[in-house]
């Protein structure tokens, strides 16, 4: 079920170079409107009958322009929006958001760590649409923001792939995640436990249908190579929902951790509670330095007499949300 507190990202998919076909139509009208007796040099301002004449008569019969390829008079919807699950699959979500934003520079492969311009190389009707290989663009490559394959999120492996629109990592086996991902096109529950689920589609099913229409049947010998190009023309995060580390904006704003020193025999422990987590105990290494079990990068340290104060209340700002 959709949760507005989770981070959301989007991709815009260009199928069969439709963006270029639309731009060609715009350029044709701008250049030839007087010669063709059109009422405007702006394609969007033309009436229905004029657009039909451009499509069926004027453009095909213009020798110079018709050599530029097909035209499209109206842009189809392109955007798919995903809601991500940082509380279940933090590694996969962090990697995906970074590749969506493209803010990690050049990878070890020599390619930008960015999904923009990357294709869906495998689309099988009633099964999956797979992409994310910005290294080779054919399913044989891929690279994570860590420069290597990263391990599976155990909680993400438990999530079912039992409906259309589930977002999961592509892999070549256990702990082999890179940049490749897939979107389920149906109930493919047989993949549950084999792939880390880290999100779901919340908008854009019409676009996913367009993508699926480019795919092959399950028994096709091409193994899902799309009939037409399916390119991620642009991508980004939904404004106000994500801070770029996998935390939703709401989680980030609530990320102040209440820390309590609690005596347990001869040891001191940290008990925590925050709006984003349930209470838990965090261990200490010794009487002088306290380290939380949760791997957030947070270090809470109390020295000397402060350590002897039972249930001392501290407030520590976090840079990541507390995992529930």
């Amino acid at each position: 079920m959709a949760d507005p507190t989770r981070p959301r990202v989007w991709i815009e998919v260009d199928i069969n170079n439709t963006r270029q076909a639309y731009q060609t139509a715009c350029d044709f009208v701008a250049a030839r409107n007087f010669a063709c007796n059109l009422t405007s040099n702006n394609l969007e301002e033309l009436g229905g009958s004029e657009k039909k004449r451009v499509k069926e008569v004027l453009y095909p019969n213009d020798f110079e322009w018709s050599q530029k390829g097909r035209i499209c008079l109206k842009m189809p919807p392109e955007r798919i929006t995903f809601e991500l699950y940082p509380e279940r699959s933090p590694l996969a979500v962090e990697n995906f958001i970074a590749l969506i934003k493209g803010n990690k520079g050049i990878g070890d492969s020599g390619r930008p760590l960015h999904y923009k311009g990357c294709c869906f190389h495998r689309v099988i009707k009633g099964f999956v649409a797979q992409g994310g290989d910005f290294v080779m663009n054919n399913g044989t490559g891929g690279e994570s923001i860590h420069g290597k394959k990263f391990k599976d999120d155990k909680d993400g492996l438990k999530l079912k792939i039992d409906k259309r629109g589930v977002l999961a990592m592509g892999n070549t086996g256990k702990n082999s995640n890179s940049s490749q991902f897939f979107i389920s096109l149906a109930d493919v529950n047989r993949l549950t436990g084999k792939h880390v689920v880290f999100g779901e589609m919340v908008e854009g099913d019409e676009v996913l249908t367009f993508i699926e229409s480019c795919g092959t049947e399950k028994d096709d010998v091409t193994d899902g190579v799309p009939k037409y190009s399916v390119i991620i023309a642009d991508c980004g995060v939904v404004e106000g929902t994500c801070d770029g580390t996998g935390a939703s904006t709401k989680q980030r704003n609530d990320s102040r951790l209440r820390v309590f020193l609690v005596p347990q025999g001869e040891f001191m422990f940290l008990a925590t509670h925050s709006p984003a987590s349930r209470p838990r105990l965090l261990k200490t290494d010794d009487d002088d330095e306290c380290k939380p079990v949760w791997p957030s990068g947070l270090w809470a340290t109390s020295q000397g007499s402060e350590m002897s104060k039972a249930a001392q209340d501290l407030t520590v700002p976090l840079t990541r949300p507390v995992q529930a």
Side-chain angles (χ1 to χ4, degrees), residues 161-268:
I161 311 177
D162 59 355
K163 62 180 180 179
R164 181 180 177 87
V166 174
L167 182 64
M169 294 299 299
N171 61 43
T172 56
K174 184 178 180 180
N175 297 322
S176 61
N177 304 287
S178 59
S179 58
Q180 290 194 43
F181 65 91
F182 66 83
I183 310 167
S184 64
L185 299 176
D187 179 347
V188 286
N189 200 33
R190 63 185 181 276
L191 299 181
T192 297
K194 299 177 181 178
H195 298 269
V196 172
V197 174
F198 63 97
E200 66 178 293
M201 177 183 67
V202 291
E203 295 177 8
D205 186 62
E206 183 179 6
V207 181
L208 189 59
T209 298
F210 292 155
I211 294 174
E212 185 173 13
S213 69
C214 298
T216 63
E217 302 298 332
K218 295 180 182 179
D219 57 352
D220 193 286
V221 295
T222 62
D223 192 30
V225 177
K227 300 173 184 176
Y228 305 103
S229 62
V230 183
I231 307 295
I232 299 176
D234 204 356
C235 50
V237 300
V238 176
E239 185 176 356
T241 71
C242 182
D243 69 359
T245 66
S248 70
T249 302
K250 185 177 187 305
Q251 285 175 315
R252 183 183 63 205
N253 292 339
D254 287 345
S255 291
R256 291 191 67 84
L257 180 67
R258 306 274 312 169
V259 182
F260 303 90
L261 294 176
V262 179
Q264 297 286 327
E266 41 182 294
F267 298 99
M268 299 294 290

Side-chain angles (χ1 to χ4, degrees), residues 13-320:
V13 182
D14 182 16
I15 298 175
N16 194 24
N17 295 314
T18 297
R19 285 191 172 194
Q20 181 58 55
Y22 177 75
Q23 187 60 53
T24 299
C26 291
D27 293 344
F28 173 76
V29 171
R32 304 287 289 163
N33 65 301
F34 288 118
C36 296
N37 197 28
L38 298 173
T39 58
S40 174
N41 64 353
N42 186 332
L43 174 63
E44 292 300 322
E45 294 177 357
L46 298 182
S49 60
E50 286 185 301
K51 288 183 178 180
K52 183 177 181 181
R53 189 158 64 96
V54 169
K55 177 76 171 181
E56 298 179 356
V57 179
L58 299 179
Y59 185 81
N61 291 321
D62 189 304
F63 178 79
E64 178 185 354
W65 279 89
S66 62
Q67 304 304 306
K68 299 179 184 291
R70 74 182 186 93
I71 58 173
C72 173
L73 301 185
K74 181 180 180 181
M75 282 297 296
E78 298 181 310
R79 181 170 292 197
I80 299 177
T81 301
F82 300 104
E83 180 180 285
L84 306 181
Y85 306 155
E87 76 283 4
R88 303 299 296 270
S89 304
L91 294 177
V93 168
E94 180 184 14
N95 183 67
F96 193 73
I97 289 177
L99 297 178
I100 283 286
K101 296 184 73 174
N103 59 356
K104 296 294 185 179
I106 305 298
D108 293 342
S109 64
R111 302 293 182 88
L113 294 168
H114 200 187
Y115 283 136
K116 186 174 182 179
C118 179
C119 75
F120 279 83
H121 61 269
R122 184 175 183 235
V123 181
I124 300 178
K125 295 178 180 179
F127 186 47
V128 301
Q130 186 169 347
D133 176 10
F134 52 77
V135 177
M136 301 300 295
N137 268 314
N138 59 13
T140 64
E143 184 178 2
S144 77
I145 60 173
H146 310 292
K148 57 183 179 180
K149 299 181 185 299
F150 61 93
K151 66 181 181 180
D152 296 329
D153 291 294
K154 292 183 179 180
D155 284 347
L157 285 174
K158 298 175 184 177
L159 297 175
K160 294 183 178 181
I161 311 177
D162 59 355
K163 62 180 180 179
R164 181 180 177 87
V166 174
L167 182 64
M169 294 299 299
N171 61 43
T172 56
K174 184 178 180 180
N175 297 322
S176 61
N177 304 287
S178 59
S179 58
Q180 290 194 43
F181 65 91
F182 66 83
I183 310 167
S184 64
L185 299 176
D187 179 347
V188 286
N189 200 33
R190 63 185 181 276
L191 299 181
T192 297
K194 299 177 181 178
H195 298 269
V196 172
V197 174
F198 63 97
E200 66 178 293
M201 177 183 67
V202 291
E203 295 177 8
D205 186 62
E206 183 179 6
V207 181
L208 189 59
T209 298
F210 292 155
I211 294 174
E212 185 173 13
S213 69
C214 298
T216 63
E217 302 298 332
K218 295 180 182 179
D219 57 352
D220 193 286
V221 295
T222 62
D223 192 30
V225 177
K227 300 173 184 176
Y228 305 103
S229 62
V230 183
I231 307 295
I232 299 176
D234 204 356
C235 50
V237 300
V238 176
E239 185 176 356
T241 71
C242 182
D243 69 359
T245 66
S248 70
T249 302
K250 185 177 187 305
Q251 285 175 315
R252 183 183 63 205
N253 292 339
D254 287 345
S255 291
R256 291 191 67 84
L257 180 67
R258 306 274 312 169
V259 182
F260 303 90
L261 294 176
V262 179
Q264 297 286 327
E266 41 182 294
F267 298 99
M268 299 294 290
F269 289 82
L270 287 177
T272 73
H273 180 67
S274 82
S277 75
R278 56 179 177 268
R280 70 184 62 197
L281 271 182
L282 303 180
K283 70 180 181 180
T284 68
D285 277 0
D286 52 53
D287 288 344
D288 294 322
E289 191 168 38
C290 303
K291 301 177 183 178
V293 175
W294 178 60
S296 67
L298 166 69
W299 290 63
T301 302
S302 272
Q303 299 288 342
S305 61
E306 289 185 344
M307 280 297 298
S308 64
K309 296 178 182 178
Q312 180 178 345
D313 188 354
L314 307 174
T315 301
V316 184
L318 298 179
T319 57
R320 295 188 185 180

